[in-house]
Amino acid sequence: MAADFENMRAWYVVQTYSGMEYAAKRNLDRRIVSMNMENYIFQVLIPEEKRYEKKKNGELKEIVERIYPGYLFVDMIVTDDSWWVVRNTPMVSGFLGSSGGGAKPVPLPNDEIIPILKQCGLKLEIQVDFKVGDVVNVVSGTFAGQEATVESLDVEKQIVTVLVDFFGRQTPQELRFDEIEVIK
């Protein structure tokens, strides 16, 4: 199970040298191509926000601010090779959530990355392999190991409502997408 989770696509936070976010992004983008990592590292993002300031003469000036100075957000599948490529990129000092010594980083939970992507004007692409009416297996939480029927999906929040047999009754239960798997 841990090996499956390790090879899942997720967003990770990468620390850069102070003020070097753009150089680190440029270096990483080049390394992705030169080291053929396009199938493992999909997107590198510097979260930015546009705001407008009024100048003394009354004109509006557009200002682009980095929301998280010193950090990049990387959409990737962590393997030994992809981790090494990102970690050893010039101007990158490491992954946030990695204890060092070769420890793999912890992915950013979807409920944390979705607001950041929205703030930047991006949407998280979510692909699910189940639909309303499918029978799924609950893999974690109170109902782990039980079969359930998908009643509804909220793709934006990544919540699925399933009907679980509880004391002989079909009881609706809200779960995260990663808490269920399709029975094949």
Side-chain angles (χ1 to χ4, degrees), residues 24-38 41 81 83-90:
K25 180 184 182 332
R26 190 172 46 253
N27 290 337
L28 183 53
D29 285 337
R30 288 178 183 153
R31 285 173 60 93
I32 291 167
V33 173
S34 70
M35 300 179 97
N36 297 319
M37 297 305 289
E38 295 95 339
I41 305 171
D81 292 335
W83 172 83
W84 189 88
V85 167
V86 174
R87 176 66 187 90
N88 292 294
T89 298

Side-chain angles (χ1 to χ4, degrees), residues 45-51 65-68 73 112-124:
L45 175 69
I46 300 173
E48 297 175 327
E49 186 174 62
K50 288 182 184 178
R51 63 182 178 86
E65 274 185 345
R66 290 183 305 273
I67 301 169
Y68 300 99
F73 291 79
E112 291 181 24
I113 190 65
I114 290 172
I116 294 168
L117 294 176
K118 281 184 181 178
Q119 193 172 11
C120 296
L122 301 172
K123 289 189 178 182
L124 186 61

Side-chain angles (χ1 to χ4, degrees), residues 6-166:
E6 182 179 301
N7 291 323
M8 288 178 43
R9 181 176 176 173
W11 284 90
Y12 295 86
V13 181
V14 175
Q15 295 171 303
T16 67
Y17 295 140
S18 182
M20 302 305 283
E21 299 89 354
Y22 295 105
K25 180 184 182 332
R26 190 172 46 253
N27 290 337
L28 183 53
D29 285 337
R30 288 178 183 153
R31 285 173 60 93
I32 291 167
V33 173
S34 70
M35 300 179 97
N36 297 319
M37 297 305 289
E38 295 95 339
N39 293 328
Y40 297 97
I41 305 171
F42 307 102
Q43 187 174 4
V44 181
L45 175 69
I46 300 173
E48 297 175 327
E49 186 174 62
K50 288 182 184 178
R51 63 182 178 86
Y52 295 92
E53 238 178 45
K54 204 172 210 179
K55 294 166 81 176
K56 288 181 182 180
N57 63 3
E59 292 180 23
L60 289 178
K61 179 182 178 183
E62 181 180 88
I63 297 175
V64 178
E65 274 185 345
R66 290 183 305 273
I67 301 169
Y68 300 99
Y71 296 99
L72 299 176
F73 291 79
V74 181
D75 179 15
M76 64 186 287
I77 297 171
V78 173
T79 63
D80 288 340
D81 292 335
S82 66
W83 172 83
W84 189 88
V85 167
V86 174
R87 176 66 187 90
N88 292 294
T89 298
M91 305 300 164
V92 168
S93 58
F95 280 91
L96 194 65
S98 176
S99 59
K104 297 298 187 278
V106 177
L108 203 57
N110 285 333
D111 62 334
E112 291 181 24
I113 190 65
I114 290 172
I116 294 168
L117 294 176
K118 281 184 181 178
Q119 193 172 11
C120 296
L122 301 172
K123 289 189 178 182
L124 186 61
E125 292 179 24
I126 302 165
Q127 296 178 353
V128 293
D129 54 352
F130 51 85
K131 61 185 180 309
V132 174
D134 283 354
V135 177
V136 295
N137 185 34
V138 180
V139 294
S140 65
T142 308
F143 299 101
Q146 289 191 13
E147 288 186 3
T149 305
V150 176
E151 185 178 59
S152 67
L153 301 166
D154 185 341
V155 177
E156 189 168 309
K157 293 181 181 176
Q158 294 194 10
I159 299 287
V160 60
T161 303
V162 296
L163 296 174
V164 181
D165 188 36
F166 191 64

